[in-house]
């Protein structure tokens, strides 16, 4: 059974100060040594998204690491979709804009996959994923702390530590491969050629031909089965199904990264605040779907997500045909990246 250290959220209290105390009372920093290179994996949020982790919490984590004499840095990988974070230059601008700068935090931001086209190296994993491609940077990391904002997600229902590592610590090639596990369904009999799907796709994959939506021959393999064109279609011609298949492969990707870093060298922090309906990849967070729950810290990536879901209630995230968010933790326990049973230590 794993320990999950927890601070309940209270709006009328100093939550940053409480985070500082739980950070020092938990075991998260114990095995970090002087001169260790410590990656802090976070999501800085798409441009102008206000719901991402507040920089003050990252600053406190960095301060604790600097006190130990190690070398912390913030990191993330560029996105597959063509937003501001598609390239390293855009990612760094975004990080600065949202307060994750060296001057503000005390640690630099390093884009894990270079300028955004880094091919990385292949790690063999179990079926059905079979392979993840990991940025070379992770070969040089001694320890990693995963700092995740817990929120909803259009495809995986919920995003926490498992998703942060699985989708955020691989290259564009593996991001695309995992998204393709979602089944994309198109009924051309309902299509009226309105062009909404084409306008919604940042990669310009759909085209209108003879009054119907078709995929560009040059770009059709680039389709990541995201919900953008489905949400734009007013005729219901586009549907996504089997979203749970994406949840099932996320823990396999985590297992791949653990093969590189060592599971014992990775700790997780879940920030259960600003619990909104959409991922931080969106420029708009959508509505708040749950009151703040608190902050969770553990050496077990499965337990830390399960603890949050137990408090937030899985049904909170299961709307708009979104799947059971616990699939990630159930599959994670099955393959051995962590345990769903935990002891909650409230501080």
């Amino acid at each position: 059974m794993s320990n999950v250290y927890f601070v309940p959220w209270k709006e009328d209290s100093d939550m940053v100060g409480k985070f500082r105390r739980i950070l020092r009372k938990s075991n998260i920093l114990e095995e970090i040594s002087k001169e260790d290179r410590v990656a802090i994996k976070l999501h800085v949020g798409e441009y102008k998204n206000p719901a991402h982790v507040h920089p003050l919490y990252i600053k406190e984590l960095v301060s604790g690491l600097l006190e130990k004499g190690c070398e912390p840095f913030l990191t993330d990988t560029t996105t597959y979709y063509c937003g501001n974070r598609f390239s390293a230059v855009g990612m760094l601008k975004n990080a600065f804009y949202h307060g994750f700068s060296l001057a503000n935090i005390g640690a630099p931001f390093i884009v894990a996959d270079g300028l955004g086209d880094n091919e990385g190296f292949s790690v063999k994993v179990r079926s059905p994923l079979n392979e993840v491609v990991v940025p070379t940077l992770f070969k040089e990391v001694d320890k990693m702390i995963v700092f995740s904002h817990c929120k909803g997600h259009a495809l995986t229902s919920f995003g926490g530590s498992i998703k942060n590592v699985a989708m955020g610590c691989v290259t564009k090639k593996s991001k695309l491969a995992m998204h393709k596990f979602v089944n994309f369904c198109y009924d051309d009999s309902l299509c009226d050629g309105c062009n909404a799907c084409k306008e919604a796709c940042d990669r310009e994959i759909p085209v209108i031909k003879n009054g119907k939506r078709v995929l560009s021959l040059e770009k059709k393999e680039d389709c990541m089965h995201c919900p953008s064109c489905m949400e734009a279609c007013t005729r219901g011609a586009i549907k996504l199904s089997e979203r749970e298949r994406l949840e099932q492969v996320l823990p396999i990707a985590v297992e791949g990264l653990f093969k590189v870093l060592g599971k014992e060298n990775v700790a997780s922090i879940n920030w259960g605040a600003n619990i909104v309906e959409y991922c931080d990849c969106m420029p708009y967070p959508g509505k708040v779907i749950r009151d703040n729950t608190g902050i969770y810290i553990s050496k077990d990536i499965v337990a830390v997500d399960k603890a949050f879901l137990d408090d937030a209630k899985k049904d909170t995230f299961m709307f708009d045909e979104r799947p059971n968010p616990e699939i990630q933790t159930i599959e994670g326990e099955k393959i051995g990246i962590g345990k769903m049973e935990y002891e909650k230590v409230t501080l």
Side-chain angles (χ1 to χ4, degrees):
M1 185 183 299
S2 302
N3 285 338
V4 176
Y5 297 90
F6 172 68
V7 172
W9 198 278
K10 294 184 179 178
E11 298 290 350
D12 58 349
S13 65
D14 176 11
M15 288 305 300
V16 176
K18 288 184 175 182
F19 173 66
R20 183 190 307 121
R21 290 191 289 276
I22 191 176
L23 196 60
R24 284 152 176 77
K25 290 182 178 180
S26 72
N27 64 350
I28 195 173
L29 303 181
E30 281 181 4
E31 296 177 12
I32 295 176
S33 304
K34 184 177 181 181
E35 298 182 1
D36 273 353
R37 288 167 291 195
V38 183
I40 301 173
K41 170 63 183 76
L42 78 161
H43 192 314
V44 299
E46 191 50 70
Y47 183 57
K48 294 186 177 180
N49 180 306
H52 56 80
V53 171
H54 198 287
L56 284 177
Y57 294 89
I58 304 296
K59 187 171 184 176
E60 287 298 334
L61 174 58
V62 168
S63 294
L65 291 167
L66 289 174
E67 286 175 11
K68 294 183 71 70
C70 59
E71 297 181 349
F73 65 93
L74 316 184
T75 194
D76 197 4
T77 53
T78 58
T79 61
Y80 179 79
Y81 67 88
C82 301
N84 277 43
R85 297 178 303 117
F86 178 79
S87 70
V89 173
M91 174 78 80
L92 289 168
K93 287 180 178 179
N94 233 47
F96 181 85
Y97 181 78
H98 287 168
F100 300 101
S101 65
L102 172 60
N104 190 40
I105 300 296
F109 191 101
I110 300 174
V111 181
D113 55 332
L115 289 176
D117 295 316
N118 184 290
E119 294 183 357
F121 62 97
S122 175
V123 179
K124 299 302 178 186
V125 294
R126 67 186 69 214
S127 177
L129 191 55
N130 299 321
E131 174 196 53
V132 288
V133 183
V134 178
T136 307
L137 172 143
F138 289 108
K139 285 184 175 181
E140 303 177 54
V141 170
D142 298 305
K143 302 287 193 305
M144 184 166 79
I145 298 175
V146 185
F147 205 125
S148 307
H149 171 213
C150 295
K151 67 283 180 185
H153 192 277
L155 294 180
T156 63
S157 186
F158 153 73
S161 286
I162 290 174
K163 186 177 182 299
N164 193 357
V165 172
M167 200 62 69
C169 293
V170 298
T171 66
K172 288 179 169 66
K173 179 180 178 180
S174 286
K175 294 176 197 285
L176 174 60
M178 283 188 278
H179 273 91
K180 281 184 175 290
F181 278 90
V182 176
N183 188 27
F184 189 96
C185 308
Y186 169 59
D187 185 348
D188 66 352
S189 69
L190 297 175
C191 178
D192 63 359
C194 72
N195 211 42
C197 58
K198 180 180 178 181
E199 293 177 356
C201 181
D202 55 26
R203 283 183 172 265
E204 301 180 341
I205 296 171
V207 295
I208 305 301
K209 188 175 181 179
N210 298 324
K212 297 289 183 180
R213 174 193 185 274
V214 296
L215 298 184
S216 164
L217 291 177
E218 296 80 12
K219 298 181 178 180
K220 64 179 182 178
E221 295 303 321
D222 295 338
C223 177
M224 67 185 296
H225 299 189
C226 78
S228 295
C229 59
M230 178 188 73
E231 293 170 352
C233 181
T234 59
R235 303 275 296 178
I238 302 167
K239 298 288 185 184
L240 296 178
S241 64
E242 300 180 90
R243 302 185 203 188
E244 66 277 2
R245 295 181 67 209
L246 175 54
E247 285 199 273
Q248 289 166 353
V249 298
L250 291 177
I252 298 175
V254 173
E255 184 183 32
L257 191 78
F258 282 178
K259 286 184 177 182
V260 179
L261 291 179
K263 182 170 68 172
E264 70 281 2
N265 293 321
V266 180
S268 298
I269 302 172
N270 273 357
W271 193 64
N274 288 351
I275 305 169
V276 290
E277 59 183 326
Y278 294 118
C279 175
D280 295 346
C281 291
M282 307 292 286
Y284 49 89
K287 64 184 179 182
V288 173
I289 57 177
R290 178 67 167 78
D291 291 339
N292 296 348
T293 57
I295 302 171
Y296 308 76
I297 298 179
S298 183
K299 293 280 287 182
D300 186 322
I301 198 169
V302 171
V304 78
D305 275 0
K306 183 64 166 64
F308 168 77
L309 287 171
D310 284 346
D311 286 348
K313 308 302 180 188
K314 66 179 183 181
D315 290 351
T316 300
F317 304 94
M318 296 173 66
F319 56 92
D320 291 342
E321 300 181 16
R322 297 182 183 187
N324 178 0
E326 287 190 348
I327 291 172
Q328 298 173 50
T329 56
I330 292 168
E331 294 297 321
E333 183 173 61
K334 280 183 183 178
I335 67 172
I337 63 169
K339 295 184 180 299
M340 292 179 67
E341 188 177 1
Y342 61 89
E343 181 177 348
K344 194 174 185 182
V345 182
T346 302
L347 299 177

